[in-house]
Amino acid sequence: MASQEENQPQPFADIFDEDEAEKSFLLSKPTCLIVLGKPGSGKKTLARKLAQIWKCIFIEALEVIQTNIHEETEYGLKCQELLFKGQSISEELVTEMILKKIESPEVAHYGYVLSGFPSPSEEYMTVSQQIEKIKNLKLKPDFLINIKCSDYDLCQRISGQRQHPDSGQVYQRNQWDPDVIEKRKKEKDQHEEENEEDDEEQEEEETAEDPLTMSEFLHQLVQRPEDTLENAKERVGTYKDIMLHPLEDLMAEQDYQYLIELDGNQQPDDLFVAKNKAYVASDKNYICCYCCFNKQDELFRVLSSYELIAHRYRWRRSRWGQACPVALKEGDIIMGNPDLAVSFLGKMYVLSSPEALKTFMLNPRPYLLPPMPLPPCKVLVFGPPFSGRTTICNLIAHKYKGKV
């Protein structure tokens, strides 16, 4: 009778094992996305917004080059040397930097949003070879986002771009053309007659703050050679001849649930909202955020009172307490510095040095997944003479790989 009662389901029991849930998250693959589209369709803008909001690593050729130069890596020094000589950075070097970034520890934890790869330039690898590289990545893309736009609309958009020579900022026609700006204002007034006063106040503020409305600023804008209508048509034609069919084959192999096609005629913010809804609907939106704190004990008292992670769920110390998990993984017992405390998955970890903190924040998974770093176990064997102390010590040391 007792065994039958024990086998009955307990309605108030917690069926979720916290350690198993944490392990499942740490073993899960981070979300990876690739944004595809014709030249000038807004791939880079959308990819940057997605990476910023969803805490992914934004990977794009120019971004990777600038990062390597800023961090003075081996690739960055090569790029600087080429640029100082007045030479262009080779396609091979750019591809190596992109693939190296995809294999980095932070990407293994956060995932990536890739834009501009595969590239229409076949100087180093053909488009088919680049696509094959994508298929063989350790972190394969979960989502393919294709921005669709007609050739005519795209050429008109590219030919309408202007650049400010000092800042390098590129502006669309609806940002610098007075006729288009005035037409948009009239349409906005017609559609929002109910909130006329509020809209006028906002427009006045935008006009006062936006330097584009100043005639001197507008006269400084120039058209880049690649943005002329003839060159825009040539770029779009090259894309269709070289890349369109291989990319269509790639998208045909993708699960339709994870293939998202967007209208390139929409504004970037509207594109992002559409992508945002589709992304939330998926089951792959793992988000992890960090919060750095000054004093651990003081923080516990503050957070335990009003900033809860969830209802009836308070902040807690990690299983290692004040010990640094990065140092433990290396076999050392070093107490962490409270000024270098960081929270992850509802627990607090105290790191021993700024280097350890940076390493942990790039990718905490190697320090939390089994075999987890544990403080070295110390055993004392004592007894009367000739009782076998030395023999037992040697056996324990041999079995558990310790030192006598």
Side-chain angles (χ1 to χ4, degrees):
M1 187 69 178
S3 61
Q4 292 180 357
E5 292 178 357
E6 290 176 0
N7 293 332
Q8 290 179 356
Q10 300 178 6
F12 299 106
D14 186 2
I15 61 172
F16 299 102
D17 187 295
E18 183 182 347
D19 292 336
E20 287 297 322
E22 182 175 321
K23 181 180 177 181
S24 175
F25 173 83
L26 294 172
L27 289 172
S28 65
K29 176 182 176 295
T31 302
C32 304
L33 309 95
I34 293 184
V35 183
L36 307 171
K38 298 176 184 176
S41 58
K43 302 186 296 292
K44 187 175 178 179
T45 304
L46 178 62
R48 192 185 295 276
K49 281 180 174 288
L50 288 171
Q52 181 181 3
I53 297 299
W54 294 107
K55 311 299 180 186
C56 297
I57 305 298
F58 173 56
I59 301 178
E60 188 263 343
L62 181 60
E63 187 82 11
V64 170
I65 293 171
Q66 292 175 343
T67 302
N68 278 273
I69 292 176
H70 177 71
E71 296 178 355
E72 296 183 350
T73 63
E74 182 182 350
Y75 291 115
L77 296 176
K78 287 182 181 178
C79 293
Q80 278 187 325
E81 184 180 351
L82 291 171
L83 293 174
F84 287 152
K85 292 180 180 179
Q87 301 175 5
S88 60
I89 301 172
S90 66
E91 196 71 26
E92 179 180 0
L93 186 58
V94 174
T95 304
E96 287 180 3
M97 286 189 287
I98 289 175
L99 296 177
K100 185 75 174 178
K101 187 66 176 179
I102 293 176
E103 297 171 358
S104 62
E106 59 267 32
V107 169
H109 178 54
Y110 291 103
Y112 62 80
V113 182
L114 179 62
S115 173
F117 190 84
S119 166
S121 173
E122 296 187 320
E123 176 188 332
Y124 173 54
M125 288 193 301
T126 65
V127 175
S128 300
Q129 290 173 335
Q130 295 178 61
I131 291 176
E132 199 62 32
K133 277 282 186 184
I134 292 174
K135 292 180 181 178
N136 294 328
L137 288 173
K138 184 178 179 181
L139 292 176
K140 293 182 175 62
D142 300 298
F143 290 91
L144 295 183
I145 306 170
N146 183 31
I147 303 177
K148 303 176 71 174
C149 188
S150 67
D151 295 351
Y152 175 80
D153 293 336
L154 200 56
C155 291
Q156 291 299 315
R157 181 194 304 173
I158 295 174
S159 61
Q161 292 180 155
R162 297 292 184 271
Q163 186 180 41
H164 192 265
D166 294 335
S167 64
Q169 180 69 32
V170 178
Y171 298 97
Q172 301 295 329
R173 185 184 296 276
N174 58 8
Q175 294 177 292
W176 63 266
D177 192 333
D179 296 334
V180 178
I181 293 173
E182 187 65 28
K183 183 179 178 181
R184 288 183 63 193
K185 284 183 179 179
K186 289 180 180 179
E187 291 177 354
K188 188 175 181 181
D189 291 339
Q190 291 175 357
H191 289 295
E192 300 182 0
E193 292 179 356
E194 297 179 358
N195 301 326
E196 242 179 58
E197 295 180 0
D198 295 339
D199 291 341
E200 286 176 3
E201 290 177 3
Q202 291 178 0
E203 287 172 6
E204 287 175 2
E205 291 176 1
E206 291 174 0
T207 305
E209 294 175 359
D210 191 359
L212 286 174
T213 58
M214 300 172 60
S215 59
E216 295 181 1
F217 185 86
L218 292 176
H219 288 310
Q220 294 176 5
L221 299 180
V222 296
Q223 186 179 36
R224 299 176 297 181
E226 62 267 28
D227 290 340
T228 60
L229 185 59
E230 293 77 12
N231 289 337
K233 290 180 179 178
E234 184 179 350
R235 289 168 61 192
V236 173
T238 302
Y239 174 90
K240 293 174 68 176
D241 294 339
I242 297 177
M243 295 190 64
L244 188 59
H245 292 301
L247 289 179
E248 285 179 344
D249 294 339
L250 175 65
M251 289 185 284
E253 296 174 7
Q254 180 76 4
D255 187 344
Y256 73 93
Q257 297 182 32
Y258 304 122
L259 173 62
I260 301 169
E261 295 189 329
L262 303 176
D263 182 5
N265 288 321
Q266 295 181 353
Q267 294 298 319
D269 291 337
D270 297 333
L271 280 179
F272 175 70
V273 170
K275 173 68 191 77
N276 187 10
K277 290 179 180 176
Y279 192 62
V280 170
S282 74
D283 59 346
K284 294 179 178 289
N285 53 344
Y286 299 119
I287 303 174
C288 139
C289 58
Y290 294 100
C291 303
C292 291
F293 308 109
N294 292 329
K295 298 295 181 182
Q296 191 185 33
D297 293 333
E298 186 178 324
L299 178 71
F300 274 123
R301 291 195 297 271
V302 175
L303 290 183
S304 62
S305 60
Y306 66 94
E307 281 198 31
L308 303 182
I309 302 173
H311 183 60
R312 302 184 68 178
Y313 189 95
R314 300 180 182 275
W315 293 96
R316 293 168 300 153
R317 288 182 174 88
S318 70
R319 68 184 71 220
W320 301 292
Q322 292 279 352
C324 174
V326 177
L328 287 174
K329 190 75 173 179
E330 298 171 356
D332 299 327
I333 303 178
I334 302 177
M335 292 298 105
N337 183 354
D339 290 332
L340 301 176
V342 63
S343 73
F344 178 62
L345 296 180
K347 296 176 183 175
M348 292 190 186
Y349 301 87
V350 190
L351 287 307
S352 57
S353 65
E355 293 76 19
L357 176 65
K358 182 180 178 180
T359 304
F360 186 83
M361 291 185 68
L362 283 177
N363 187 359
R365 300 183 188 224
Y367 308 101
L368 305 181
L369 283 169
M372 295 179 182
L374 298 174
C377 180
K378 300 177 182 179
V379 180
L380 172 63
V381 180
F382 60 94
F386 304 104
S387 61
R389 292 172 300 181
T390 305
T391 304
I392 293 178
C393 284
N394 290 330
L395 289 172
I396 292 175
H398 177 72
K399 181 173 179 62
Y400 296 104
K401 298 179 181 179
K403 293 182 181 181
V404 178

